[in-house]
Amino acid sequence: MSEKSLKIAKNTIFLYIRMGISMIVSLYTSRVVLNALGVEDFGIWGVIGGLVAMFLFLNNALSSSTSRFLTFSLGKGDKKELSEIFNASLIIHLFVAVIVIFLCETIGVWFLNHKMVIPGNRMFAAHVVFHFSVVISALSIVLVPFNSMIIAHERMNIFAYLTISDTLFKLLIAWLLLTFTSNRLIYYAVMMFIVSFINALFYFIYCRRRFTEIKFQIIKDTRLYKSLTSFTTWSLFGNLAYVGYTQGLNLLLNIFFGPVVNAARAISSQVEQTIRTFTLNFQTAINPQIIKSYAQRDFEDMHKLIFASSKYSFFLLLILSMPVMLETEQILIIWLKNVPEYTPSFIRIMLLIIMMETMSNSIMTSVTATGNIKVYHSVVGTILLLIVPISYLVLKLGGTPLSVFYVYLIIEVLACMARILIIRPMIKLSIKKYLHKVVYVSTRVGILSCILPLVLLFLLEGNVYRFILVTLSSLLSSFGAIYYWGLSIEERHFVNIKVRNVVTKLKK
C-alpha cells in the first residue's frame, strides 16, 4: 500500500472512531432532548435553527472556497501563500459573521414574528432560541478557516477528538436539561451557546499552537481577496440551493403544517445526518488527496480516487441504510418511544436521496479542485433551486408533507446527471468509465443486497425477531453483494490478504 493510501486509511479510521462515538451519543442525546422538551418545543428548536441557517448561504460558499485554497496551497508546498490565504479568509469570515448577525436580527426577526407558525405562549422562548442560535452561527462562521486548516493538513485525529468532545458536552446538556422543571427550551439554548463557545476556543488554541503558518496579520493584497471572493460568488448558487432544499423545506413544512411536522423532520434529519456522516468521513479523508492530485496535474490518480470514493461511499451507505429503511418503525420505537407522525416516511425517502447524492460527492470535490466553478454552480444550483418553488406549488395544490421530498428526489436525479456532464471536460473524465465503475456497479449491488431481507420482511410477522433477522440478513446480503459483485478482482485479492493477516494475528 502506498504512503498516500496509508494516510487515507489512517485518517479514515480516526474519522470513523469519531463517527461511531458521536453517532451513539447523538442518538441517545436526541432521545433525551425530545423527551425533555416535548414534541412541540423540539419542533420549534429545529425550525428556528433552520431559519437561522438560511442566512448562512454566504458562509457555506466561503467555506468551500477557503478549504479549496488552503488545501491547494499545501499541495504546492507554498507555506507563505498558505499563511496569506488563512489570514485573508479569516478577515472575510469575520466580515460575513457581522453581515449574518445583521440580517438575522432584522429580516430574520421579522420573518419569525410574521410568517412562522409558533404558538403564542412559546413566542418568547422562540425569540430567545433565535438570538442564541444567531450567536452560535456567528461563532461557526469564524471557525471555518481553523477547521479548514486542520482538514487541509489531514490532522483527522484532532478533528475527531474535537468533535467527540463537542458531542459529549451536548450529552451533558441533555442530562442537565432534565433537572429543570420549566423553561427548558430557553435553558437548552443557553447551554448550547456555552458549548459552542468552548468548542471555538479549543479550535483557536490548537491551530495557533500547531500550525506555524498561522501568524495573524492584515493582508493588503487585493488580488487574494478577489480570488477568494470570486470563487465564492459562483459557489453561492450551489449554497443557496442547499439552504433552499434543506432549511427552505423546513420552513414550508412549518408554514403549511406547524411545528409538530417540523419535529418529524428534525428527527429524520438526525437519522439522515448520522448515516450520511459514515460516507462523509471517508470522503473527508480522501478529498484533500483529490485536490492535491489536481494541483500536481496527476489526472490518472485523480480519476482513481474519484471512482473509489464514489463507489465505496455508496457501499458504506448501503450497509447502514438498508436495515434502517426496512425496519424504520421498529427502530424509531426502540430509539424514541414517542414517534411524531410522518417520521418513518421522511426517513426512508431521505435515505434514498442521500444514496443518489453520495455517488456524485467526489465530483463536487473535483470541480472545487479545478477552481472553474462558474458553469457548475450556475447550472446545478439553478436545478436545485427549483426544489422550493415546485414544493410550494405542490403544497398549495393540496400535497402532503411527504410530497415535497418526492420533488426533492426527482430534482436530485437531474442534478446528478448535470454534475457528470459538466465535470467531464474539466478533468478529462470518461463518462463511460464512471457509469460502469460507479453507477452500474453500485446499482447492481444495491438491488442484489435487498432481495433476501425484503423476502423476510414480507413473509414474517412484525416483531422483534423479524427485526433481528431482517437486520442480520441485510448486513450479510450487503457484504456478500459488495464482495462478489461490487469489488474488482484486484480489490477482492486485497481484501483476502487483509483478512488472512487478521486471522493469522488472532491465532497467535
Side-chain angles (χ1 to χ4, degrees):
M1 187 181 286
S2 67
E3 184 179 347
K4 183 181 292 187
S5 298
L6 284 171
K7 180 176 281 190
I8 292 173
K10 180 181 176 182
N11 287 333
T12 303
I13 290 170
F14 278 119
L15 289 171
Y16 274 105
I17 292 172
R18 157 192 175 263
M19 177 276 305
I21 296 173
S22 297
M23 180 188 70
I24 294 169
V25 176
S26 295
L27 291 176
Y28 176 72
T29 301
S30 296
R31 171 176 173 164
V32 175
V33 172
L34 174 60
N35 291 330
L37 295 180
V39 173
E40 187 175 74
D41 275 4
F42 190 79
I44 291 172
W45 172 262
V47 76
I48 292 293
L51 174 60
V52 174
M54 287 194 68
F55 293 94
L56 298 180
F57 63 91
L58 180 57
N59 178 62
N60 294 332
L62 278 169
S63 298
S64 60
S65 174
T66 301
S67 181
R68 185 265 177 188
F69 278 92
L70 288 173
T71 306
F72 199 89
S73 295
L74 200 59
K76 294 194 300 181
D78 191 335
K79 289 195 173 184
K80 182 177 182 295
E81 181 182 85
L82 183 65
S83 178
E84 291 175 349
I85 290 173
F86 172 83
N87 283 289
S89 63
L90 181 58
I91 291 169
I92 292 172
H93 278 82
L94 286 167
F95 180 69
V96 170
V98 173
I99 293 176
V100 168
I101 291 173
F102 174 76
L103 292 175
C104 286
E105 295 297 339
T106 51
I107 300 173
V109 170
W110 172 83
F111 194 91
L112 174 62
N113 288 329
H114 297 93
K115 295 297 180 181
M116 294 186 67
V117 179
I118 305 290
N121 64 335
R122 304 309 297 148
M123 278 303 294
F124 175 73
H127 273 273
V128 173
V129 168
F130 179 81
H131 294 309
F132 273 107
S133 296
V134 171
V135 178
I136 291 170
S137 297
L139 282 174
S140 71
I141 292 171
V142 178
L143 272 185
V144 167
F146 297 93
N147 186 54
S148 298
M149 201 70 155
I150 291 173
I151 293 175
H153 281 86
E154 299 183 65
R155 301 286 180 86
M156 302 306 173
N157 57 329
I158 301 302
F159 185 60
Y161 298 150
L162 291 172
T163 305
I164 291 170
S165 67
D166 180 62
T167 304
L168 293 176
F169 273 126
K170 288 176 180 175
L171 174 61
L172 178 61
I173 285 176
W175 285 337
L176 289 174
L177 199 60
L178 297 173
T179 65
F180 298 102
T181 56
S182 61
N183 296 321
R184 286 179 172 176
L185 184 57
I186 293 174
Y187 288 121
Y188 185 59
V190 173
M191 290 188 289
M192 287 293 286
F193 161 71
I194 293 171
V195 167
S196 297
F197 180 79
I198 293 172
N199 192 44
L201 197 60
F202 284 166
Y203 272 95
F204 175 82
I205 293 173
Y206 176 81
C207 291
R208 185 69 181 86
R209 290 183 176 180
R210 295 295 180 181
F211 302 136
T212 56
E213 303 92 348
I214 296 182
K215 296 176 181 178
F216 299 113
Q217 56 182 314
I218 302 296
I219 302 299
K220 298 180 180 179
D221 186 354
T222 56
R223 290 175 301 176
L224 183 55
Y225 290 108
K226 185 177 179 181
S227 296
L228 287 166
T229 54
S230 175
F231 189 93
T232 300
T233 300
W234 290 108
S235 296
L236 283 176
F237 281 97
N239 286 285
L240 275 170
Y242 176 78
V243 170
Y245 66 72
T246 53
Q247 310 309 332
L249 290 182
N250 287 347
L251 295 179
L252 283 180
L253 291 174
N254 176 261
I255 292 168
F256 281 89
F257 304 104
V260 174
V261 172
N262 286 126
R265 170 59 175 154
I267 292 167
S268 69
S269 295
Q270 176 75 43
V271 175
E272 171 201 344
Q273 291 302 320
T274 299
I275 293 179
R276 190 194 292 270
T277 302
F278 275 83
T279 57
L280 289 180
N281 280 331
F282 177 72
Q283 288 167 346
T284 300
I286 205 170
N287 284 347
Q289 294 293 342
I290 292 175
I291 296 174
K292 290 172 183 176
S293 293
Y294 181 83
Q296 296 160 6
R297 313 303 289 178
D298 188 348
F299 288 110
E300 183 179 353
D301 186 56
M302 187 182 186
H303 295 166
K304 289 179 181 178
L305 290 169
I306 291 170
F307 296 149
S309 176
S310 300
K311 185 174 73 170
Y312 297 150
S313 296
F314 180 87
F315 292 163
L316 289 168
L317 185 60
L318 178 69
I319 292 168
L320 287 164
S321 62
M322 191 182 299
V324 177
M325 292 178 70
L326 295 176
E327 289 286 3
T328 313
E329 289 85 358
Q330 188 68 34
I331 291 172
L332 287 171
I333 290 170
I334 295 171
W335 173 29
L336 298 174
K337 294 185 179 179
N338 181 22
V339 181
E341 188 182 2
Y342 295 110
T343 305
S345 299
F346 285 0
I347 289 173
R348 287 192 176 102
I349 195 164
M350 281 309 304
L351 290 179
L352 284 175
I353 290 169
I354 63 174
M355 290 178 83
M356 286 292 305
E357 288 179 353
T358 195
M359 285 191 285
S360 60
N361 281 342
S362 293
I363 289 179
M364 301 180 214
T365 302
S366 303
V367 174
T368 303
T370 66
N372 185 17
I373 62 173
K374 178 179 178 179
V375 174
Y376 175 84
H377 281 298
S378 59
V379 174
V380 177
T382 300
I383 292 172
L384 292 173
L385 277 172
L386 294 173
I387 293 174
V388 173
I390 293 175
S391 296
Y392 178 78
L393 290 175
V394 170
L395 292 176
K396 287 293 281 186
L397 293 172
T400 66
L402 191 58
S403 62
V404 300
F405 295 101
Y406 288 124
V407 173
Y408 184 175
L409 178 61
I410 293 169
I411 298 296
E412 181 58 42
V413 172
L414 296 176
C416 287
M417 294 168 62
R419 290 182 186 115
I420 297 170
L421 292 173
I422 292 169
I423 192 62
R424 182 187 63 80
M426 293 183 182
I427 59 171
K428 304 173 185 177
L429 182 71
S430 168
I431 294 181
K432 183 178 179 181
K433 284 186 178 180
Y434 180 84
L435 291 175
H436 177 74
K437 293 188 175 184
V438 178
V439 179
Y440 169 71
V441 171
S442 299
T443 303
R444 179 177 62 180
V445 169
I447 293 172
L448 293 172
S449 296
C450 69
I451 295 174
L452 177 59
L454 276 174
V455 170
L456 293 174
L457 185 71
F458 287 113
L459 289 181
L460 301 177
E461 184 180 349
N463 52 41
V464 67
Y465 298 108
R466 189 191 74 174
F467 170 70
I468 294 171
L469 286 173
V470 169
T471 300
L472 289 176
S473 65
S474 297
L475 294 175
L476 290 173
S477 296
S478 298
F479 281 115
I482 289 168
Y483 180 80
Y484 287 106
W485 294 289
L487 301 181
S488 64
I489 296 174
E490 294 79 11
E491 289 168 334
R492 283 200 297 272
H493 179 65
F494 175 78
V495 170
N496 292 338
I497 292 173
K498 290 299 177 182
V499 171
R500 281 197 293 267
N501 290 342
V502 172
V503 172
T504 302
K505 289 180 181 179
L506 290 175
K507 287 181 178 180
K508 289 182 179 180

